[in-house]
Amino acid sequence: MPAPIPKPRIPPDALPSRLEELLESITDRHVADRLVRVHRAAAVAIDRLGHLSIAKYEPTTVEPDEGADLALWETMAPAIGDTLVGVNQLVTAIHKEFPPPSRPAGPGDEGWAPPPASSDERLAQEVEAVLHASAERLSKRVSELGQQMRRPEVVSDRWTLMAELQAFRADFRVRIGDLVYLTAAAFEDVRREDVVPGYVHQVGARAALRAAAADLRRSLQGRLERAAKAEPASRPALARQVAESLSAFITLPASVALRTPQKHTVLRLRARVQEEGARAELAAQTLPGLVEPFLAFLDETTEDVTRAWLTVHDRKVWASCGAKLEQAEMHLALGSRGAARVLADAVDTAAALYGRSAPFDGFLRKARQEAAEGLDAATARGLLERFRERLAALPFS
Protein backbone atom coordinates (compact mmCIF):
# COMPACT_ATOMS: atom_id res chain seq x y z
CA MET A 1 0.00 0.00 0.00
CA PRO A 2 1.58 3.30 -1.05
CA ALA A 3 2.40 5.81 1.66
CA PRO A 4 -0.10 8.67 1.96
CA ILE A 5 0.92 11.85 0.20
CA PRO A 6 1.41 14.61 2.78
CA LYS A 7 -0.77 17.66 2.40
CA PRO A 8 1.09 20.69 1.08
CA ARG A 9 1.74 23.32 3.71
CA ILE A 10 -0.45 26.40 3.46
CA PRO A 11 1.55 29.41 2.23
CA PRO A 12 2.66 31.54 5.18
CA ASP A 13 0.98 34.65 3.76
CA ALA A 14 -2.37 32.94 3.23
CA LEU A 15 -5.35 34.79 4.68
CA PRO A 16 -8.54 33.26 6.09
CA SER A 17 -11.30 33.12 3.47
CA ARG A 18 -13.57 35.41 5.51
CA LEU A 19 -10.83 38.04 5.66
CA GLU A 20 -10.23 37.79 1.92
CA GLU A 21 -13.95 38.29 1.27
CA LEU A 22 -14.00 41.34 3.52
CA LEU A 23 -10.98 42.90 1.84
CA GLU A 24 -12.52 42.30 -1.58
CA SER A 25 -15.68 44.12 -0.52
CA ILE A 26 -13.94 47.35 0.54
CA THR A 27 -14.98 50.17 -1.79
CA ASP A 28 -11.75 52.16 -1.56
CA ARG A 29 -9.48 49.80 -3.49
CA HIS A 30 -6.38 51.87 -2.77
CA VAL A 31 -6.86 51.33 0.96
CA ALA A 32 -7.92 47.71 0.41
CA ASP A 33 -4.84 46.79 -1.64
CA ARG A 34 -2.49 48.30 0.92
CA LEU A 35 -4.34 46.60 3.74
CA VAL A 36 -4.07 43.24 1.95
CA ARG A 37 -0.28 43.60 1.88
CA VAL A 38 -0.17 44.49 5.59
CA HIS A 39 -2.42 41.58 6.48
CA ARG A 40 -0.25 39.21 4.47
CA ALA A 41 2.82 40.49 6.30
CA ALA A 42 0.95 39.93 9.57
CA ALA A 43 0.08 36.38 8.50
CA VAL A 44 3.75 35.69 7.75
CA ALA A 45 4.79 37.07 11.15
CA ILE A 46 2.17 34.96 12.96
CA ASP A 47 3.22 31.90 10.98
CA ARG A 48 6.87 32.53 11.77
CA LEU A 49 6.15 32.90 15.47
CA GLY A 50 3.99 29.78 15.47
CA HIS A 51 5.97 27.36 13.31
CA LEU A 52 9.32 28.00 14.94
CA SER A 53 9.11 25.39 17.67
CA ILE A 54 11.04 26.61 20.67
CA ALA A 55 10.44 23.25 22.38
CA LYS A 56 13.69 21.91 20.90
CA TYR A 57 15.60 24.59 22.80
CA GLU A 58 13.99 23.80 26.15
CA PRO A 59 15.87 21.81 28.78
CA THR A 60 14.69 18.24 29.26
CA THR A 61 15.80 18.06 32.89
CA VAL A 62 15.44 20.36 35.88
CA GLU A 63 19.14 20.86 36.54
CA PRO A 64 19.99 24.58 36.25
CA ASP A 65 22.69 25.77 33.89
CA GLU A 66 25.96 26.42 35.62
CA GLY A 67 26.12 30.02 34.56
CA ALA A 68 26.15 32.37 31.64
CA ASP A 69 28.22 31.00 28.80
CA LEU A 70 28.59 31.54 25.09
CA ALA A 71 27.22 28.09 24.26
CA LEU A 72 23.82 28.86 25.77
CA TRP A 73 23.55 32.16 23.90
CA GLU A 74 24.61 30.55 20.62
CA THR A 75 22.02 27.82 21.07
CA MET A 76 19.22 30.31 21.63
CA ALA A 77 20.32 32.93 19.10
CA PRO A 78 18.36 31.48 16.11
CA ALA A 79 15.08 31.47 18.06
CA ILE A 80 15.63 35.03 19.27
CA GLY A 81 16.69 36.21 15.82
CA ASP A 82 13.67 34.68 14.07
CA THR A 83 11.38 36.30 16.60
CA LEU A 84 12.85 39.74 15.94
CA VAL A 85 12.93 39.34 12.15
CA GLY A 86 9.27 38.29 11.89
CA VAL A 87 8.01 41.27 13.89
CA ASN A 88 10.34 43.82 12.30
CA GLN A 89 9.26 42.79 8.81
CA LEU A 90 5.65 43.48 9.72
CA VAL A 91 6.52 46.91 11.17
CA THR A 92 8.41 47.70 7.96
CA ALA A 93 5.40 46.68 5.85
CA ILE A 94 3.08 48.92 7.89
CA HIS A 95 5.40 51.91 7.52
CA LYS A 96 5.69 51.27 3.78
CA GLU A 97 1.97 50.92 3.06
CA PHE A 98 0.73 53.47 5.59
CA PRO A 99 3.57 55.94 6.22
CA PRO A 100 3.34 57.58 9.65
CA PRO A 101 3.00 61.36 9.91
CA SER A 102 6.30 63.16 9.37
CA ARG A 103 5.92 64.99 12.69
CA PRO A 104 3.70 63.46 15.38
CA ALA A 105 1.41 66.01 16.93
CA GLY A 106 1.99 66.67 20.59
CA PRO A 107 -0.60 67.63 23.22
CA GLY A 108 -2.42 70.77 22.19
CA ASP A 109 -0.65 70.75 18.82
CA GLU A 110 -3.13 68.80 16.72
CA GLY A 111 -3.87 71.71 14.41
CA TRP A 112 -6.94 71.86 12.22
CA ALA A 113 -7.79 69.16 9.73
CA PRO A 114 -10.87 68.92 7.54
CA PRO A 115 -13.42 66.30 8.59
CA PRO A 116 -13.55 63.06 6.58
CA ALA A 117 -15.31 63.58 3.29
CA SER A 118 -17.00 60.17 3.41
CA SER A 119 -17.46 57.12 5.59
CA ASP A 120 -14.75 55.37 3.53
CA GLU A 121 -12.29 58.14 4.38
CA ARG A 122 -13.26 57.96 8.05
CA LEU A 123 -12.65 54.21 8.11
CA ALA A 124 -9.34 54.65 6.30
CA GLN A 125 -8.22 57.14 8.95
CA GLU A 126 -9.30 54.76 11.72
CA VAL A 127 -7.35 51.90 10.15
CA GLU A 128 -4.25 54.05 9.76
CA ALA A 129 -4.44 55.14 13.39
CA VAL A 130 -4.66 51.49 14.53
CA LEU A 131 -1.76 50.47 12.31
CA HIS A 132 0.47 53.34 13.42
CA ALA A 133 -0.23 52.69 17.11
CA SER A 134 0.31 48.94 16.66
CA ALA A 135 3.59 49.42 14.80
CA GLU A 136 4.85 51.76 17.51
CA ARG A 137 3.99 49.30 20.26
CA LEU A 138 5.49 46.35 18.41
CA SER A 139 8.72 48.28 17.89
CA LYS A 140 8.80 49.12 21.58
CA ARG A 141 8.33 45.46 22.50
CA VAL A 142 11.15 44.46 20.16
CA SER A 143 13.45 46.86 22.01
CA GLU A 144 12.27 45.48 25.34
CA LEU A 145 13.00 41.95 24.17
CA GLY A 146 16.53 42.94 23.21
CA GLN A 147 17.09 44.53 26.61
CA GLN A 148 15.62 41.56 28.45
CA MET A 149 17.84 39.10 26.60
CA ARG A 150 20.93 40.99 27.84
CA ARG A 151 20.07 40.75 31.53
CA PRO A 152 22.52 38.41 33.30
CA GLU A 153 19.82 36.73 35.38
CA VAL A 154 17.96 35.86 32.16
CA VAL A 155 20.78 34.73 29.90
CA SER A 156 22.50 32.72 32.63
CA ASP A 157 19.64 30.25 33.07
CA ARG A 158 18.07 28.34 30.20
CA TRP A 159 14.67 27.98 31.90
CA THR A 160 14.44 31.70 32.58
CA LEU A 161 15.58 32.52 29.06
CA MET A 162 13.03 30.17 27.52
CA ALA A 163 10.23 31.54 29.70
CA GLU A 164 11.02 35.13 28.69
CA LEU A 165 11.30 34.28 25.00
CA GLN A 166 8.06 32.31 25.01
CA ALA A 167 6.23 35.11 26.83
CA PHE A 168 7.42 37.69 24.28
CA ARG A 169 6.48 35.47 21.33
CA ALA A 170 2.99 34.89 22.73
CA ASP A 171 2.59 38.63 23.33
CA PHE A 172 3.68 39.42 19.77
CA ARG A 173 1.14 36.96 18.35
CA VAL A 174 -1.66 38.49 20.42
CA ARG A 175 -0.74 42.04 19.40
CA ILE A 176 -0.49 41.13 15.72
CA GLY A 177 -3.81 39.28 15.91
CA ASP A 178 -5.38 42.36 17.51
CA LEU A 179 -4.04 44.48 14.66
CA VAL A 180 -5.67 42.26 12.03
CA TYR A 181 -8.91 41.94 13.97
CA LEU A 182 -9.39 45.66 14.59
CA THR A 183 -8.56 46.70 11.03
CA ALA A 184 -10.98 44.09 9.68
CA ALA A 185 -13.74 44.89 12.19
CA ALA A 186 -13.62 48.54 11.10
CA PHE A 187 -15.35 47.52 7.86
CA GLU A 188 -17.64 44.67 8.95
CA ASP A 189 -18.84 42.87 12.05
CA VAL A 190 -16.54 39.84 12.17
CA ARG A 191 -15.37 37.24 14.67
CA ARG A 192 -11.73 37.01 15.63
CA GLU A 193 -11.50 33.31 14.75
CA ASP A 194 -12.75 34.05 11.22
CA VAL A 195 -10.20 36.72 10.28
CA VAL A 196 -7.03 36.35 12.36
CA PRO A 197 -4.50 34.05 10.64
CA GLY A 198 -3.59 31.04 12.75
CA TYR A 199 -6.12 31.78 15.48
CA VAL A 200 -8.18 28.64 14.87
CA HIS A 201 -5.01 26.55 15.10
CA GLN A 202 -4.07 28.20 18.39
CA VAL A 203 -7.49 27.49 19.86
CA GLY A 204 -7.32 23.88 18.67
CA ALA A 205 -3.92 23.46 20.30
CA ARG A 206 -5.31 24.67 23.64
CA ALA A 207 -8.29 22.32 23.39
CA ALA A 208 -5.86 19.43 22.75
CA LEU A 209 -3.77 20.50 25.76
CA ARG A 210 -6.85 20.58 27.99
CA ALA A 211 -7.85 17.10 26.87
CA ALA A 212 -4.33 15.72 27.41
CA ALA A 213 -4.18 17.29 30.88
CA ALA A 214 -7.53 15.68 31.76
CA ASP A 215 -6.24 12.26 30.72
CA LEU A 216 -3.03 12.80 32.72
CA ARG A 217 -5.04 13.79 35.77
CA ARG A 218 -7.19 10.68 35.50
CA SER A 219 -4.10 8.49 35.15
CA LEU A 220 -2.35 10.02 38.16
CA GLN A 221 -5.48 9.83 40.29
CA GLY A 222 -5.74 6.14 39.48
CA ARG A 223 -2.12 5.60 40.56
CA LEU A 224 -2.81 7.32 43.87
CA GLU A 225 -5.82 5.13 44.52
CA ARG A 226 -3.76 2.02 43.85
CA ALA A 227 -0.91 3.32 46.03
CA ALA A 228 -3.31 3.81 48.95
CA LYS A 229 -4.10 0.07 48.90
CA ALA A 230 -0.58 -1.16 48.06
CA GLU A 231 2.12 -2.50 50.34
CA PRO A 232 5.18 -0.27 50.95
CA ALA A 233 7.34 -2.49 48.70
CA SER A 234 4.87 -2.13 45.81
CA ARG A 235 4.66 1.66 45.88
CA PRO A 236 8.04 2.40 44.16
CA ALA A 237 6.71 0.67 41.03
CA LEU A 238 3.70 2.98 41.10
CA ALA A 239 6.05 5.96 41.45
CA ARG A 240 7.87 4.80 38.33
CA GLN A 241 4.54 4.53 36.52
CA VAL A 242 3.74 8.11 37.52
CA ALA A 243 7.09 9.19 36.04
CA GLU A 244 6.28 7.33 32.81
CA SER A 245 2.90 9.06 32.57
CA LEU A 246 4.56 12.45 33.01
CA SER A 247 7.17 11.63 30.36
CA ALA A 248 4.45 10.58 27.93
CA PHE A 249 2.49 13.77 28.58
CA ILE A 250 5.47 16.07 28.09
CA THR A 251 6.27 14.49 24.71
CA LEU A 252 2.74 14.80 23.32
CA PRO A 253 2.25 17.36 20.53
CA ALA A 254 -0.39 18.98 22.76
CA SER A 255 2.25 19.84 25.38
CA VAL A 256 3.82 22.37 22.99
CA ALA A 257 1.03 24.72 24.10
CA LEU A 258 2.31 24.57 27.70
CA ARG A 259 4.12 27.63 28.93
CA THR A 260 7.73 27.03 29.86
CA PRO A 261 7.20 27.46 33.64
CA GLN A 262 4.37 24.91 33.45
CA LYS A 263 6.61 22.45 31.63
CA HIS A 264 9.27 23.05 34.27
CA THR A 265 6.74 22.06 36.95
CA VAL A 266 6.02 18.78 35.14
CA LEU A 267 9.71 17.94 34.88
CA ARG A 268 10.34 18.77 38.53
CA LEU A 269 7.66 16.32 39.60
CA ARG A 270 9.02 13.68 37.24
CA ALA A 271 12.49 14.03 38.77
CA ARG A 272 11.09 13.69 42.29
CA VAL A 273 9.01 10.58 41.59
CA GLN A 274 11.92 8.99 39.72
CA GLU A 275 13.98 9.40 42.88
CA GLU A 276 11.22 7.82 44.97
CA GLY A 277 10.79 5.05 42.45
CA ALA A 278 14.39 3.98 43.01
CA ARG A 279 13.76 3.22 46.70
CA ALA A 280 12.93 -0.21 48.10
CA GLU A 281 9.81 0.97 49.91
CA LEU A 282 7.64 4.08 50.14
CA ALA A 283 5.50 5.35 52.97
CA ALA A 284 1.77 5.76 52.41
CA GLN A 285 1.93 9.56 52.18
CA THR A 286 4.97 9.87 49.90
CA LEU A 287 3.20 9.72 46.53
CA PRO A 288 0.13 11.73 47.62
CA GLY A 289 2.44 14.39 49.05
CA LEU A 290 4.06 14.80 45.64
CA VAL A 291 1.17 14.20 43.25
CA GLU A 292 -1.80 15.88 44.94
CA PRO A 293 -0.30 19.42 44.70
CA PHE A 294 0.43 18.67 41.05
CA LEU A 295 -3.20 17.68 40.46
CA ALA A 296 -4.22 21.07 41.84
CA PHE A 297 -1.69 22.64 39.45
CA LEU A 298 -3.24 20.73 36.53
CA ASP A 299 -6.70 21.95 37.50
CA GLU A 300 -5.46 25.54 37.63
CA THR A 301 -3.73 25.15 34.27
CA THR A 302 -6.81 23.82 32.51
CA GLU A 303 -8.98 26.53 34.08
CA ASP A 304 -6.57 29.20 32.84
CA VAL A 305 -6.53 27.71 29.34
CA THR A 306 -10.32 27.51 29.25
CA ARG A 307 -10.77 31.08 30.49
CA ALA A 308 -8.13 32.63 28.22
CA TRP A 309 -8.69 30.65 25.01
CA LEU A 310 -11.68 28.35 24.99
CA THR A 311 -14.74 30.18 26.31
CA VAL A 312 -16.09 31.16 22.88
CA HIS A 313 -14.90 27.83 21.41
CA ASP A 314 -16.74 25.84 24.07
CA ARG A 315 -19.99 27.74 23.64
CA LYS A 316 -19.84 27.15 19.89
CA VAL A 317 -19.25 23.40 20.38
CA TRP A 318 -22.01 23.32 23.03
CA ALA A 319 -24.49 24.92 20.61
CA SER A 320 -23.46 22.57 17.80
CA CYS A 321 -24.03 19.55 20.05
CA GLY A 322 -27.44 20.90 21.05
CA ALA A 323 -28.45 21.25 17.40
CA LYS A 324 -27.36 17.68 16.65
CA LEU A 325 -29.34 16.34 19.61
CA GLU A 326 -32.41 18.14 18.29
CA GLN A 327 -31.88 16.42 14.92
CA ALA A 328 -31.49 13.05 16.66
CA GLU A 329 -34.81 13.55 18.44
CA MET A 330 -36.50 14.27 15.10
CA HIS A 331 -35.05 11.09 13.62
CA LEU A 332 -36.27 9.07 16.60
CA ALA A 333 -39.78 10.52 16.25
CA LEU A 334 -39.82 9.42 12.61
CA GLY A 335 -38.31 6.02 13.32
CA SER A 336 -35.32 6.94 11.14
CA ARG A 337 -31.96 5.19 11.37
CA GLY A 338 -30.36 8.60 11.12
CA ALA A 339 -30.64 8.97 14.90
CA ALA A 340 -27.66 6.68 15.52
CA ARG A 341 -25.56 8.52 12.94
CA VAL A 342 -26.37 11.97 14.29
CA LEU A 343 -25.78 10.91 17.90
CA ALA A 344 -22.38 9.45 16.99
CA ASP A 345 -21.58 12.70 15.21
CA ALA A 346 -22.63 14.67 18.31
CA VAL A 347 -20.33 12.54 20.48
CA ASP A 348 -17.43 13.23 18.08
CA THR A 349 -18.20 16.96 18.17
CA ALA A 350 -18.37 16.99 21.97
CA ALA A 351 -14.84 15.57 22.14
CA ALA A 352 -13.65 19.19 21.74
CA LEU A 353 -15.11 19.83 25.23
CA TYR A 354 -13.10 17.03 26.84
CA GLY A 355 -11.36 18.32 29.94
CA ARG A 356 -13.97 20.96 30.68
CA SER A 357 -15.74 18.89 33.35
CA ALA A 358 -14.83 15.53 34.91
CA PRO A 359 -18.44 14.23 34.94
CA PHE A 360 -18.86 15.19 31.28
CA ASP A 361 -15.54 13.50 30.44
CA GLY A 362 -16.77 10.28 32.05
CA PHE A 363 -20.01 10.49 30.09
CA LEU A 364 -18.07 11.03 26.83
CA ARG A 365 -15.90 7.96 27.34
CA LYS A 366 -18.97 5.77 27.84
CA ALA A 367 -20.85 7.46 24.99
CA ARG A 368 -18.01 6.76 22.56
CA GLN A 369 -18.16 3.09 23.46
CA GLU A 370 -21.94 2.95 23.06
CA ALA A 371 -21.80 4.69 19.68
CA ALA A 372 -19.04 2.36 18.48
CA GLU A 373 -21.05 -0.73 19.49
CA GLY A 374 -24.11 0.51 17.57
CA LEU A 375 -27.34 2.13 18.71
CA ASP A 376 -30.87 0.87 18.30
CA ALA A 377 -33.92 3.03 18.98
CA ALA A 378 -33.96 2.30 22.72
CA THR A 379 -30.25 2.84 23.36
CA ALA A 380 -30.26 5.91 21.13
CA ARG A 381 -33.10 7.45 23.15
CA GLY A 382 -31.31 6.69 26.41
CA LEU A 383 -28.07 8.21 25.14
CA LEU A 384 -29.95 11.27 23.90
CA GLU A 385 -31.51 11.89 27.31
CA ARG A 386 -28.22 11.48 29.19
CA PHE A 387 -26.40 13.62 26.63
CA ARG A 388 -28.85 16.47 27.14
CA GLU A 389 -28.54 16.23 30.92
CA ARG A 390 -24.76 16.31 30.84
CA LEU A 391 -24.66 19.09 28.27
CA ALA A 392 -27.00 21.24 30.37
CA ALA A 393 -24.85 20.64 33.46
CA LEU A 394 -21.62 21.94 31.91
CA PRO A 395 -20.17 24.80 34.00
CA PHE A 396 -20.59 27.77 31.71
CA SER A 397 -20.27 31.03 33.64
Side-chain angles (χ1 to χ4, degrees):
M1 183 176 178
I5 300 174
K7 294 182 180 180
R9 186 170 177 268
I10 298 175
D13 66 343
L15 301 179
S17 58
R18 180 68 183 90
L19 181 58
E20 288 187 329
E21 293 171 3
L22 183 151
L23 292 169
E24 284 291 332
S25 69
I26 296 176
T27 306
D28 188 336
R29 296 314 304 164
H30 179 57
V31 170
D33 291 343
R34 290 185 294 157
L35 197 53
V36 166
R37 290 189 284 272
V38 169
H39 282 172
R40 291 197 182 280
V44 170
I46 290 174
D47 178 85
R48 193 177 195 120
L49 291 168
H51 278 279
L52 173 65
S53 175
I54 64 174
K56 64 182 179 180
Y57 300 109
E58 289 178 328
T60 55
T61 62
V62 294
E63 290 82 3
D65 294 306
E66 294 181 354
D69 58 27
L70 183 59
L72 174 59
W73 181 256
E74 288 178 344
T75 300
M76 295 301 305
I80 298 170
D82 279 352
T83 301
L84 297 175
V85 168
V87 178
N88 283 332
Q89 286 179 344
L90 171 60
V91 172
T92 300
I94 293 173
H95 288 164
K96 178 182 178 181
E97 301 298 338
F98 295 88
S102 56
R103 184 176 68 87
D109 188 32
E110 292 86 356
W112 181 87
S118 65
S119 60
D120 287 343
E121 186 176 345
R122 178 185 60 77
L123 291 177
Q125 290 178 2
E126 178 182 325
V127 165
E128 287 199 36
V130 169
L131 291 174
H132 292 158
S134 298
E136 181 180 351
R137 285 162 174 74
L138 286 172
S139 296
K140 182 179 179 181
R141 289 295 283 164
V142 165
S143 298
E144 291 171 355
L145 173 59
Q147 294 170 7
Q148 195 75 351
M149 293 299 103
R150 295 185 185 93
R151 291 173 54 197
E153 62 270 31
V154 172
V155 75
S156 63
D157 179 73
R158 189 185 298 262
W159 281 109
T160 304
L161 184 56
M162 287 305 309
E164 289 290 337
L165 180 57
Q166 189 185 52
F168 269 95
R169 289 170 65 84
D171 181 63
F172 282 135
R173 288 193 72 168
V174 169
R175 289 171 184 267
I176 295 170
D178 290 347
L179 175 158
V180 175
Y181 176 59
L182 285 177
T183 54
F187 297 96
E188 289 185 27
D189 184 18
V190 293
R191 299 182 305 177
R192 183 184 293 270
E193 60 266 31
D194 292 335
V195 295
V196 175
Y199 188 79
V200 171
H201 173 75
Q202 286 183 279
V203 170
R206 269 67 185 185
L209 172 61
R210 181 176 65 183
D215 281 337
L216 176 62
R217 193 191 199 290
R218 181 167 170 257
S219 172
L220 297 183
Q221 189 65 55
R223 300 279 190 261
L224 289 183
E225 292 171 2
R226 289 175 58 192
K229 303 173 184 177
E231 296 296 325
S234 300
R235 292 184 185 124
L238 292 170
R240 292 192 293 272
Q241 291 173 15
V242 168
E244 290 169 2
S245 295
L246 294 169
S247 293
F249 172 72
I250 212 70
T251 57
L252 288 173
S255 71
V256 174
L258 279 174
R259 296 196 302 271
T260 297
Q262 294 169 334
K263 190 170 290 187
H264 197 187
T265 298
V266 177
L267 292 178
R268 280 202 304 265
L269 176 61
R270 186 182 68 174
R272 291 289 306 279
V273 295
Q274 284 174 337
E275 290 177 5
E276 301 300 336
R279 302 183 190 279
E281 295 183 353
L282 289 182
Q285 290 304 313
T286 300
L287 270 182
L290 293 172
V291 175
E292 287 177 354
F294 181 77
L295 295 180
F297 158 79
L298 270 185
D299 291 342
E300 182 181 347
T301 297
T302 54
E303 288 172 7
D304 287 346
V305 167
T306 297
R307 183 170 53 252
W309 285 95
L310 300 177
T311 300
V312 174
H313 163 273
D314 287 354
R315 291 188 179 278
K316 185 176 180 181
V317 174
W318 183 86
S320 178
C321 289
K324 292 179 189 299
L325 296 186
E326 184 179 358
Q327 293 174 30
E329 186 175 37
M330 295 177 187
H331 280 291
L332 286 170
L334 295 171
S336 165
R337 295 180 179 177
R341 174 188 59 79
V342 175
L343 278 171
D345 190 22
V347 170
D348 289 340
T349 299
L353 296 173
Y354 193 81
R356 173 100 197 196
S357 161
F360 189 76
D361 295 347
F363 161 75
L364 269 183
R365 289 191 293 270
K366 293 178 181 177
R368 286 194 196 107
Q369 184 177 355
E370 291 180 38
E373 292 172 351
L375 297 168
D376 57 23
T379 55
R381 190 171 297 281
L383 178 57
L384 172 62
E385 292 175 359
R386 285 182 286 117
F387 206 150
R388 276 184 166 157
E389 290 174 1
R390 290 299 185 185
L391 206 60
L394 279 175
F396 285 108
S397 57

